[in-house]
Structures are given as C-alpha cells and as structure tokens.
Amino acid sequence: MYVFIKKIMTESQTPSTPTVPRGVPPLPPPPPTIATQRQATQTLDMSVERSTNRTAQSVTAPPPPPAPSTNAAHRPGTPPPMPSSVRPKTTSLQLTLEQLIKEAYDKGYSDIHLGVGEVPRFRNRGEMQLTDYPETDRETFMSWMREVLTESEIHRFEEQLEFDGATQYEFARVRINIFDSLKGYAMVMRLIPLKILTIEQLRLPPVFRDICHYHKGLILVTGPTGSGKSTTMAAMIDYINKEMPKHIITIEDPVEFVHKSQKSLIKQREVGMHTRKFDNALKAALREDPDLILVGEMRDKETVNTALKAAQTGHLVMGTLHTNSAVKTIERILNLYSGEEQDAMRVALAESLVAVIAQGLCRTTDGKRAAFHDILINTDAVKDWVKDGKYDEITELMKQASFDGMITMNQSLFNLYQEGRITEETALEMSPTPNEMAQALRGRV
C-alpha cells in the first residue's frame, strides 16, 4: 500500500511537459524545492497514519529520509528544537560550589571570594587571583547558597543580611561568611585542612611547646585576619591533646579545626549553634571542670573579664585578638576599660598573663608562606612593667631576652632571611619598623 500511495503522489507531483517551439532547446526541469519535499513528506506521513488506523494492524512504514536542510520540518514523536534564545549557555550556573572549593583545595588556595555581578576569585598565598569563570548572576549565587545552607538559614540571612557558619567536605572544612553589598549578595569561604599540622611541621619556635605545659593563666595569640592564628592555636591544642590528660573546651564562631579526643577529652562548642554568646559559654565552662578553655575571639569587655577570671581561678585560657604586636595587645585589652578601672586591670593582667604571641605571614622564596612572631613571655620583670605601664621597657627586654624564648618580629624576619626562606625585600615589606630592619640587613650585606 505504501508503494501504491507513493506512486500516485509521485505522478500527481510530476509537472506536465510544456510545448517547446521547434529549434529551441527545452529548459531543464526545476529542482524540487525544500517546501515541496516537506509537503510530500507530511502528506505521506498522514496517509500512512490513516491507513494504519483503518487496518488496526500493519507494518509501520519507515520514515522518509530527512530533507537536506537545517530548516526541515519537525517530525512527530521527537522533541521540538529548542529556540536559540533559550539554549543553555556555558555559564557559572553549571559550576557547583563543591567544584569551586575542590579546585581551590587542590591548588592550595586559602580563600574563595564569590559575589553577584563579580567574577569568582581565589586568594593564592596572600594575593587575590582572578579566575576565567563568567560573572556570577543571582540565580547561580542562590543555588550555591542552597548547597551549604538550609532554607531556614537562608531565611535568617535574608532577614539579618549577615551569616557566619561552616560546612565540611571529604577533603576540607570550610568557614563561610555571607553578606550583602552594593552589587548584591557575596560570600567568602576560608578553607581549613582536615589534617591539623603539628608544631614541628609549622616550624614554630620551641617556646610554643613550653607554653603548652602551663597549668593556669592566659595565653593570647594575636594578629590580623588571615595571619594563621587558628592554625597555630590548633597545633598547640593538638600537642596538648596528644601529650597531656586534660579536659579541653573550645568556644568558637564557627568551629574551624575539628579535634578528636586522644589523651585529652575535647568538647567543641559553636556560638549560635551550641551556645548564644561567647561570654555565656565561657561562664558555663567554669562549671564544666575544664583544664583548658579556648576562646575563639575575645571581642568585648565581658569576654575579657570572664577569661581573666577563669585564668585567675586555676584554668589555662587561650584566646585571640586582632592586634599587630605583643605590647599593643596589652594596651588594647586595657583600653577596653575606663581610666579608673585600668590600674586594677593592669594588676589582674600582670598576674594572669602567661604569654602573648603576635603573628604574621609572609611569602617565602619557594612560593609558600612562613609565620613570623612577636613573642612576649610574662617573666617577673615583664610583670612589674605591665603593672607600671612601662611598655617601652618591655619592648627593649624582648630584644634581649631570647633565652626566655622572647623574640621580636624584626628578629624573626631576619632569621627567615638568614635561612634563605625570604628575600630582603620581603623582610623590609613585612617589618613593623623598616628602618631598624634595614640597619640589620645592611650589617649583613
């Protein structure tokens, strides 16, 4: 039947031969147009379909070959072609947040910066690095948020326009901060290795181990954002955990390095999840039989008061502040108090303090980064000068008391330069007193 119908249609579509005058060569027949082919194909399909319905059982005819054109009509039974205006494009929407984090982890980057209307960027050893990904649109950013936040957390962020939290993958833990900006929502993620580096692996001075053996007092680790404070404190906690049978409570916002109890028992609490405020958790910790309390950040006067109280009542307390030197850390704490309170607080701080470690990071000659330190140990002389507010004498003592483990940032940078780990330019750039550093370098060059 198919052949019969085909024959009829072919004959009906064959044009009649026109009469040509004698002596004039006949014109060649016009080629069949695409429209004619399309019409024939559609008519054939309809005829075969009617025939199939009448017989209720017949062999389905194979479809005719498609016309040699990209504009051929769409065949029944196949999805219609997608208009070019809505075809998927290669955009950041196809990139998941986990893929970005994995790329940063594999390349050794420390931070990821994302934002609506911005190209994703990485922080590579202290420097911002642009990527080849397209600008992030709002839809993509929201899809990334849904990867790491619950709907209730997203709702809370949209109300407060701030969010702090953390998430964990098989290869790394990630600290997350989300905020609103002029262009739209933005996100910064800090990559935290699951493996905690030891004091030896970080090449920290031996005095760090000595500090860990104190049974009571206040240890402060300070420095600007991104200076490695959390990494240093994690190494110290890890050393205590492996070597001493103690009860350790950490209060962080959010929890960064995750510790597993070994010789010590470790309980980690996150502000906003396991407690409402630093101060509340710190006060509660005093009734939880701790040997060591780690306070992620001493943000206000109340937290400092409670930390000092805990240090004075027989506990070892570790905390962080955002200051650039050991001596400035003492001044920063005292400046939280009014003039009439400062004398009493100087005495309390002098009696409670164990050590102040100010830290920075600098790029090394092999493309990595190394820590340099300002280390103040609370000896009897330092204790007296803290009570009297003689901070200049403390700075001079730090330059001379290397036998107690003290060191200044300039001395630490100079040591790195002597070891060949940093260049002269880096030493001068990172020095808090470049003139003094230049004099030291001139004596060696």
Side-chain angles (χ1 to χ4, degrees):
M1 181 177 294
Y2 174 84
V3 175
F4 174 73
I5 295 172
K6 182 73 174 178
K7 182 177 179 181
I8 293 175
M9 292 177 58
T10 304
E11 291 176 352
S12 64
Q13 293 171 4
T14 303
S16 58
T17 305
T19 304
V20 181
R22 183 177 300 176
V24 179
L27 294 174
T33 63
I34 294 175
T36 304
Q37 293 177 1
R38 184 184 304 121
Q39 182 181 7
T41 302
Q42 291 175 345
T43 305
L44 175 61
D45 288 343
M46 292 172 61
S47 301
V48 171
E49 183 178 357
R50 286 196 299 268
S51 174
T52 302
N53 291 337
R54 285 196 305 267
T55 59
Q57 183 70 36
S58 64
V59 180
T60 304
S69 170
T70 56
N71 297 323
H74 163 63
R75 285 191 303 229
T78 61
M82 187 178 295
S84 58
S85 60
V86 296
R87 286 175 188 164
K89 301 176 182 179
T90 304
T91 65
S92 56
L93 183 60
Q94 299 173 341
L95 183 71
T96 67
L97 192 63
E98 182 175 358
Q99 289 172 333
L100 270 173
I101 295 169
K102 186 66 167 64
E103 179 182 347
Y105 173 79
D106 290 340
K107 294 181 178 180
Y109 300 148
S110 61
D111 299 85
I112 304 170
H113 291 252
L114 307 172
V116 176
E118 298 286 356
V119 174
R121 298 170 189 254
F122 296 129
R123 186 172 290 279
N124 180 13
R125 293 174 177 84
E127 297 181 359
M128 293 291 283
Q129 180 171 305
L130 203 62
T131 67
D132 294 329
Y133 297 116
E135 285 187 3
T136 304
D137 55 30
R138 181 182 172 85
E139 180 184 357
T140 300
F141 189 89
M142 295 303 295
S143 72
W144 288 342
M145 283 179 60
R146 292 187 187 98
E147 285 189 46
V148 291
L149 271 63
T150 64
E151 288 300 326
S152 61
E153 288 172 333
I154 293 175
H155 181 67
R156 189 170 77 240
F157 162 71
E158 289 174 339
E159 286 183 343
Q160 301 177 359
L161 301 179
E162 306 283 354
F163 179 84
D164 275 309
T167 188
Q168 186 162 324
Y169 297 89
E170 292 181 358
F171 50 89
R173 187 169 174 82
V174 182
R175 189 183 74 195
I176 304 169
N177 179 268
I178 308 175
F179 56 98
D180 198 7
S181 68
L182 187 62
K183 281 193 172 183
Y185 294 162
M187 180 190 311
V188 178
M189 292 176 288
R190 167 69 52 83
L191 272 65
I192 304 165
L194 296 180
K195 182 181 178 182
I196 299 172
L197 298 178
T198 64
I199 290 176
E200 291 77 19
Q201 289 171 328
L202 293 173
R203 302 177 73 168
L204 300 177
V207 70
F208 279 76
R209 282 193 298 274
D210 300 335
I211 291 171
C212 292
H213 285 275
Y214 279 79
H215 296 288
K216 62 179 181 179
L218 180 63
I219 301 170
L220 297 174
V221 180
T222 74
T225 300
S227 60
K229 299 186 297 294
S230 299
T231 304
T232 297
M233 292 181 69
M236 296 172 74
I237 294 293
D238 184 64
Y239 174 76
I240 296 171
N241 184 26
K242 291 176 179 176
E243 301 292 332
M244 307 172 201
K246 294 191 174 184
H247 181 206
I248 302 170
I249 296 176
T250 75
I251 307 164
E252 305 170 73
D253 182 19
V255 170
E256 296 187 339
F257 290 91
V258 178
H259 298 267
K260 182 179 179 181
S261 297
Q262 299 185 46
K263 202 166 187 178
S264 293
L265 173 64
I266 299 186
K267 299 293 185 184
Q268 295 183 264
R269 307 186 68 193
E270 182 170 316
V271 176
M273 182 178 294
H274 309 123
T275 182
R276 299 300 180 195
K277 293 171 56 181
F278 271 109
D279 189 42
N280 293 350
L282 190 50
K283 288 177 180 176
L286 298 179
R287 299 186 292 273
E288 293 160 1
D289 188 31
D291 297 296
L292 167 60
I293 306 171
L294 184 146
V295 184
E297 188 174 348
M298 299 173 66
R299 299 178 174 178
D300 49 36
K301 180 177 175 181
E302 290 74 20
T303 306
V304 172
N305 279 341
T306 310
L308 286 172
K309 178 183 176 182
Q312 289 172 331
T313 53
H315 304 92
L316 186 62
V317 180
M318 296 177 66
T320 67
L321 284 169
H322 293 283
T323 53
N324 297 324
S325 74
V327 173
K328 286 181 180 178
T329 300
I330 297 174
E331 296 179 10
R332 167 77 178 276
I333 290 176
L334 294 174
N335 286 338
L336 293 173
Y337 299 89
S338 61
E340 57 270 16
E341 294 176 311
Q342 287 196 7
D343 289 340
M345 291 312 302
R346 263 195 288 266
V347 174
L349 190 58
E351 295 296 332
S352 304
L353 197 62
V354 171
V356 182
I357 302 166
Q359 178 170 301
L361 289 178
C362 61
R363 185 182 285 263
T364 56
T365 52
D366 59 358
K368 299 180 180 179
R369 288 199 290 177
F372 57 95
H373 302 95
D374 210 36
I375 302 176
L376 171 63
I377 306 297
N378 191 21
T379 62
D380 290 337
V382 172
K383 190 177 296 185
D384 291 338
W385 283 331
V386 170
K387 290 178 181 178
D388 298 336
K390 297 180 179 179
Y391 305 123
D392 292 338
E393 283 83 347
I394 296 175
T395 303
E396 291 301 316
L397 178 65
M398 289 174 63
K399 297 177 183 179
Q400 304 167 11
S402 58
F403 53 86
D404 286 320
M406 297 194 212
I407 193 171
T408 65
M409 282 192 173
N410 270 0
Q411 290 171 338
S412 182
L413 287 166
F414 187 70
N415 291 342
L416 291 173
Y417 170 75
Q418 283 186 311
E419 295 169 7
R421 297 181 65 194
I422 64 173
T423 63
E424 179 179 340
E425 291 75 18
T426 301
L428 287 169
E429 178 187 353
M430 304 306 296
S431 171
T433 52
N435 291 337
E436 183 181 320
M437 175 58 72
Q439 291 175 3
L441 293 171
R442 202 174 297 123
R444 296 290 301 178
V445 176

